[in-house]
Amino acid sequence: MPTSSDRFSNTTAVEWGWSEKTVIPNVNQLHVMVWLLLSIAVAGVVVGQDDVAAGQSDVATGQTSSTTGQNDQPRQTEPAAPLESDPKTKLQVRQFLDQRYSDAEGKAGLLDVHVPLAGPNEISVDDSGEFTVHGALRPVVLVIHGGGWALGDKWTLRSYCDRLAELGFVVANMNYRLAPQHQFPCQVDDVRDALLYIAGHAEAWKADLNRVGLFGYSAGGHLSSLVGVLGNEDRSVQMLASQWPESDPRWDQLPKVAAVCAGGPPCDFRGVPEDNAGLSYFLGGTPREVPDNYLGASPTAHVSPGDPPTQLIHGEKDLLVPIVNSEKFAEALRAAGVTVSLTVIENQGHMMTLFDPLTKRSVKEFFLGQLMKP
């Protein structure tokens, strides 16, 4: 592993502690780790509906770094200031589950929609189940679950979705095709298809396409970050992470992503040893065999001026996806003049960071600050 002074060198690779002898967890090992995550998620969904008081007491245990523009000083980690309190009045939320956003088989092409309602007459549903929201435009957040790109389901982040909807966001919570049956870039195109589905229903949902955010954790954080930074790249670069034809009209129909919040994201695969097959189940081969996939899947490789404001959240003691991933991604965004903040959750690993009160509050505060104002 690099020392602290090495972390922001000019190397193109992010070190996950890999060497030629390192064994990256294979898909079977990932099954075990992800099932542990899902087991914890059950408790998180059940007990996590309203932990504002706990969040206020735990805020000081986190660390945060906010950076904006090219003239900022190198990142310094400082104790986080207390975040603003939640609004006293929370909106009612109506859930519309298992809406099919693509023709992917089974659960892969489904998403849930969480609609905030200020009153009982603000929504109508026709005989086919299509719903129409009445009232003012609201910002929208697309939520993307984790699971090593191989497992997981949208229900694991449902409590986050309802929290955001209570604050006034229209929230879409998606499933996507899973590896190894479906390999990169299928998952990235699924995120794009979900964004197109939102765009196609924006008028009915009163979703403001000028205020679209992405939130994901772990693999979902990777997908959120990647789609965010690719949005303003040349088509040839975008196609490194897509199966869409270059002339496909869908490219021009995608809504612009205005804000990205990513927790525990893998950010750069360019440092994987050339013959290490540990990520082949997702990326389709070793770096020697499919180098463009390792490049195309690396958010840090595609950072450029004009990328959306980004909030990164990472556990200090994350051993599955070490914090250097977010540190180097944040450094690259800063160097490009992009607004970026990295919140470090002290003494927490990969799984528990998702359920830390500071993580939950940081997600809410970020989207309130970035998207709530028209």
Side-chain angles (χ1 to χ4, degrees):
M1 287 292 289
T3 64
S4 297
S5 62
D6 293 331
R7 284 184 173 176
F8 299 119
S9 65
N10 291 326
T11 179
T12 60
V14 76
E15 273 78 353
W16 280 14
W18 293 336
S19 68
E20 294 294 341
K21 297 181 179 179
T22 302
V23 178
I24 302 171
N26 61 33
V27 70
N28 291 325
Q29 291 170 315
L30 280 169
H31 283 184
V32 175
M33 290 185 285
V34 173
W35 277 118
L36 287 172
L37 174 60
L38 298 184
S39 298
I40 295 172
V42 175
V45 171
V46 172
V47 306
Q49 292 301 314
D50 192 355
D51 53 336
V52 171
Q56 290 174 339
S57 65
D58 286 355
V59 164
T61 68
Q63 297 176 331
T64 188
S65 169
S66 297
T67 59
T68 308
Q70 298 181 7
N71 297 323
D72 291 339
Q73 298 299 316
R75 185 178 80 86
Q76 296 180 356
T77 304
E78 301 175 353
L83 297 169
E84 296 180 4
S85 299
D86 291 335
K88 293 182 179 179
T89 302
K90 294 182 179 180
L91 299 176
Q92 295 180 342
V93 177
R94 181 96 177 257
Q95 297 179 356
F96 293 86
L97 306 180
D98 293 335
Q99 307 291 303
R100 183 158 293 282
Y101 73 86
S102 79
D103 58 2
E105 295 181 358
K107 296 181 178 180
L110 301 178
L111 58 74
D112 300 337
V113 185
H114 301 245
V115 182
L117 299 175
N121 298 320
E122 201 174 354
I123 194 166
S124 58
V125 184
D126 64 22
D127 293 339
S128 67
E130 292 288 332
F131 62 93
T132 301
V133 181
H134 311 281
L137 289 175
R138 297 186 182 276
V140 58
V141 177
L142 176 61
V143 175
I144 310 170
H145 71 80
W149 309 281
L151 285 176
D153 187 272
K154 53 188 168 60
W155 68 264
T156 61
L157 293 179
R158 188 168 294 175
S159 63
Y160 273 88
C161 297
D162 276 336
R163 287 189 182 92
L164 288 170
E166 289 171 350
L167 296 172
F169 297 92
V170 177
V171 181
N173 183 19
M174 66 175 291
N175 280 342
Y176 50 86
R177 288 172 289 177
L178 299 174
Q181 181 178 359
H182 302 283
Q183 295 178 335
F184 176 86
C186 291
Q187 296 78 12
V188 190
D189 282 336
D190 286 347
V191 175
R192 295 188 179 104
D193 281 335
L195 287 170
L196 287 175
Y197 187 80
I198 292 170
H201 291 78
E203 183 176 357
W205 298 355
K206 288 296 182 287
D208 188 347
L209 295 183
N210 292 315
R211 295 183 287 164
V212 176
L214 299 178
F215 167 60
Y217 193 81
S218 192
H222 162 259
L223 295 172
S224 299
S225 300
L226 185 60
V227 171
V229 296
L230 283 174
N232 62 349
E233 296 298 301
D234 292 338
R235 190 63 48 80
S236 60
V237 176
Q238 292 177 324
M239 290 183 63
L240 289 172
S242 181
Q243 294 179 328
W244 291 4
E246 185 173 1
S247 60
D248 197 311
R250 290 177 293 179
W251 289 112
D252 297 322
Q253 298 167 8
L254 286 168
K256 181 180 179 180
V257 176
V260 172
C261 183
C267 297
D268 202 330
F269 304 106
R270 293 172 294 172
V272 178
E274 285 189 337
D275 295 312
N276 195 314
L279 290 172
S280 293
Y281 77 95
F282 170 52
L283 293 175
T286 67
R288 188 187 300 276
E289 295 166 338
V290 287
D292 283 350
N293 284 2
Y294 285 76
L295 170 63
S298 298
T300 306
H302 307 302
V303 169
S304 62
D307 287 343
T310 300
Q311 164 78 56
L312 301 172
I313 304 168
H314 218 113
E316 179 189 27
K317 296 185 177 180
D318 191 331
L319 298 180
L320 182 58
V321 184
I323 194 172
V324 68
N325 280 265
S326 286
E327 289 176 332
K328 287 192 172 183
F329 187 39
E331 182 72 3
L333 289 166
R334 181 190 308 113
V338 179
T339 299
V340 56
S341 178
L342 170 58
T343 297
V344 179
I345 310 299
E346 283 189 339
N347 300 315
Q348 293 288 28
H350 189 74
M351 293 186 290
M352 292 311 298
T353 292
L354 176 60
F355 306 108
D356 191 282
L358 179 57
T359 299
K360 299 172 183 178
R361 291 179 58 79
S362 296
V363 172
K364 292 186 288 187
E365 294 291 338
F366 173 72
F367 284 122
L368 284 172
Q370 292 295 332
L371 300 181
M372 192 48 72
K373 294 182 180 179

